[in-house]
Amino acid sequence: MAKGIWVVVEQRDLQIRKVSLELLSQGRKIADETGESLVAVILGQGIEGLAQTVSANGADKVILVEDEKLAEYTTGAYTSVLNKLIRKEEPQVVLTGNTAVGKDLFPRLAQRLGVGLASDCTGIEVDSSSFMVFKRPIYAGKAFEFVSSTVRPILATIRPNTFALGTPDAGRTAEVVKETADIDAGDLRAILKEVAIAASKRPELTEANIIVSGGRGMKGPENYVILEALADVIGAAVGASRAAVDAGWKEQKFQVGQTGKTVSPTLYIACGISGAIQHLAGMGSSKFIVAINKDPEANIFNVADYGIVGDLFDVVPILTEEFKKIVG
Amino acid sequence: MNIVVLIKQTFDTEAKIVLDANGKIDANGVNLIINPYDEYAIEEGIRLKEKLGGEVTVVTLGGARAQEAVRTALAMGVDKGVVVSDPAIDTSDDWANVEIIAKAVAQIPFDIILSGRIAIDDGASQTAVRLAEALSVPSVSSVIKLEATGDQLVATREIDGGTELIEVALPAVITAQKGLNEPRYPSVAGIMKAKKKPLKTLTLADLGLSAGDLAPKMVVTKMTLPDPRKAGIRIPGEAADAAKELAKLLHEEAKVL
Ligand SMILES: Cc1cc2nc3c(=O)[nH]c(=O)nc-3n(C[C@H](O)[C@H](O)[C@H](O)COP(=O)(O)OP(=O)(O)OC[C@H]3O[C@@H](n4cnc5c(N)ncnc54)[C@H](O)[C@@H]3O)c2cc1C
Ligand SMILES: Nc1ncnc2c1ncn2[C@@H]1O[C@H](COP(=O)(O)O)[C@@H](O)[C@H]1O
C-alpha cells in the first residue's frame, strides 16, 4: 500500500515559499477526498520551527531532514535524500512547486526513481482508475494536455498561483518525524559557490498576485519609476516585454512571455505592450488583464478585461493616486 | 573538448494550435523551427569549440523533418549531426525519450552536453536533467553565463529572485536560458559547408532498443484548447476619468484590490 500524498516544501532562509503553502492547502482537500494522509517533507538546516507552520496549513505528518549540506538547495544532495526517503516510505504522489528548485530537482528525482513526471501543472483531478490526472499547458498555453501515470509514485510540479492559499489553523498538530540525511558522495559533484538574491521589496514575478508590466511604450529605462510607484501602492511585481528587455531597459529576469517567465497572477496590468502572441503566451492565464495602450488596434485589447486607450504617461500616475485612495 | 548539443524541432512561436479528428495536435502546414532555447545551446557549443578546440555534435530525436533543424545547426557551425527517428516516438514520454537519447549520446565521446532549458512545445523542462541522471553526470540548469576551462565549468544559473554560481567538473550537462549569448545566423558560406558535413540517421533498432523497452510511464488521456479570452470593456473618457473608472472597476467589480 502506497502511503500518502507528499508535498516537498520549499524553504529559503527558513521562509516557506508561497507555492508550497498553496500545495498544502490543495493537498489537504485531495487527502480528504481520497482518504490519504498529507505529508509535508522539509529539507534544510534549522528547519524544526517550520513544522508548526506546515501542520497549521494542513499536514498530518511532517518529515524533517536536517543537515548542513541541505542548508542551501543543491540538485545532488536533495535528490540523494528524497530518492531514499521515497523508496522507503512509498508515497502515492509527490508534489512540489514548479519553481527554479522544482524544475531542477524533480526531473532528476523522477529519473532516479524510474518514474514519470507531470511538470508545470495547472490542475489536478482525482481519478478512480489512475488516482490522479494532471492538467498541463502545452505550446505555451495554446493547448492543454491531461496526463496520468502508469507507475508509482506519481511526481508532479505545480505552477505557482494555481491553487488558493488556505487559512492556517494554529490549533492543528501533526506528527513530526526526523530523518537523517544520507547523501551519496557522487551526488556532491556540483559545488554551489555563491547564492546572490537581489534585494527587492517587491514580490517574485512568478508568485505575485498582481503584476504591472511595461513594454516598448515605456520609451526608456528611466520611465519604469512610474510603474514601480504604481506597483508599490498595491504590492505588485514589475515585469517587462521582450522588446523592453532586448533594448536593455530591464534585466532578463523581468521578461514575461514565451522566452521569459510564465505568470498567472490575479491581475496583470500591461502598459505600452502590443500583445504579441509570444507575450500572451506568458501571461494569458492571468485572471484579469488590464491594457493601457495608445493604439486602439493593439492586440492586447483583444484579451484585456479592461482597456484604456490612452497615453500611459497620463494614465498611470493618476491610476496610482486612485489606487492609493482605495488601499488607504 | 567534445561537445554534444541536444536540439528539438518545434512549432514556430506564431503557430496557431488546432486539434485533428483524433483530438491530437495537428502539425499540418505548421512552420517548424529549432526550439529557441536550443539556439543558445548551439551558440554556446560553437563558442566553446572556438575557444578550446574540439568538435560539436548535435543530436535530435524527431520526425521526418528533423533533419532540417540539424542542417540549420550545421550551417551555424556545428560539425556533425545525429538524427534519431522512429515511429515509436509518437507515443513516447519524457522518460522514454531520454532512454533513447542516452543511447545515442553514449555513442559519442562528450565532455559537455548542452541543451535548452525548456522545449516550447511540451514545456516539460525535463529531458536534459533526466539525461544527466541517466548518464550519471552532474547538471546545472537555466544557465545564463558559462566559463569553461579544460576540465571544469563555472556556471551562473538563474533562480527565483537571483542567481547561483556553481562549479562543476566535466563531464556535465548544462541547460541554456535566454541571456547566455546571442545566437548567430547561418552564413551563406555556412549553409554551403553544411551540405557536406556528416549527418547520421538512426532508428531505435540501431540503438539496440525496441518499442517494447519504452512502455511510457506517463500517458496523455486527452488534449483540449483553452476557451478563447474575450475582449472585455474599453473604458471611455479622458485619462483622468478613465483611470478613476478603472480603479473603481478593479475594486468593486473584479474585487482584486
Ligand atoms: C521566438 C520568439 C520569442 C519571443 N519571446 C517573447 C517573450 O518572451 N516576451 C515578449 O514580450 N515578447 C517575445 N517575443 C517578441 C514579440 O514578438 C514582440 O516583439 C514583443 O512582445 C513586443 O514587445 P512590446 O509589446 O513591448 O513592443 P511593441 O510591439 O513595439 O509595442 C509597443 C506598444 O506600446 C504602445 N505605446 C507606445 N507608446 C505608448 C504610450 N505613450 N502610451 C501607451 N501605449 C504606448 C504602442 O501602441 C504599442 O502597442 C518573442 C519573439 C520571438 C520570435
Ligand atoms: N526530442 C528531442 N531531441 C533532442 N533534444 C531534445 C528533445 N526533446 C528535448 N530535448 C532537449 O531538452 C531540452 C528541454 O526539453 P523538454 O524537456 O522537452 O522541455 C530542449 O531544449 C532540448 O535541448
Side-chain angles (χ1 to χ4, degrees), chain A residues 267-323:
Chain A
L267 174 62
Y268 188 89
I269 306 178
C271 306
I273 292 177
S274 61
I277 194 160
Q278 298 92 348
H279 190 79
L280 302 187
M283 43 64 81
S285 64
S286 305
K287 187 138 184 258
F288 290 98
I289 296 172
V290 167
I292 302 169
N293 194 305
K294 65 180 184 190
D295 173 10
E297 302 296 323
N299 188 47
I300 191 79
F301 287 119
N302 294 325
V303 299
D305 300 280
Y306 302 108
I308 295 180
V309 179
D311 191 320
L312 73 92
F313 293 100
D314 297 333
V315 177
V316 172
I318 304 170
L319 198 55
T320 307
E321 291 309 312
E322 293 300 321
F323 283 170

Side-chain angles (χ1 to χ4, degrees), chain A residues 157-181:
Chain A
T157 64
I158 314 295
R159 185 179 288 188
N161 279 347
T162 295
F163 298 114
L165 286 173
T167 315
D169 173 1
R172 278 188 58 99
T173 50
E175 175 197 356
V176 179
V177 177
K178 292 183 184 167
E179 296 278 352
T180 49

Side-chain angles (χ1 to χ4, degrees), chain A residues 119, chain B residues 5-9 35-38 41 59-62 84 89 94 97 101 114-129 175-176:
Chain A
S119 48
Chain B
V5 182
L6 302 181
I7 66 170
K8 185 180 192 185
Q9 194 177 42
N35 179 42
Y37 290 99
D38 302 354
V59 175
T60 192
L61 172 67
V84 185
I89 66 167
D94 298 298
N97 288 345
I101 294 171
L114 294 156
S115 85
R117 105 175 148 80
I118 190 171
I120 61 166
D121 49 5
D122 60 26
S125 209
Q126 297 192 23
T127 310
V129 179
T175 83

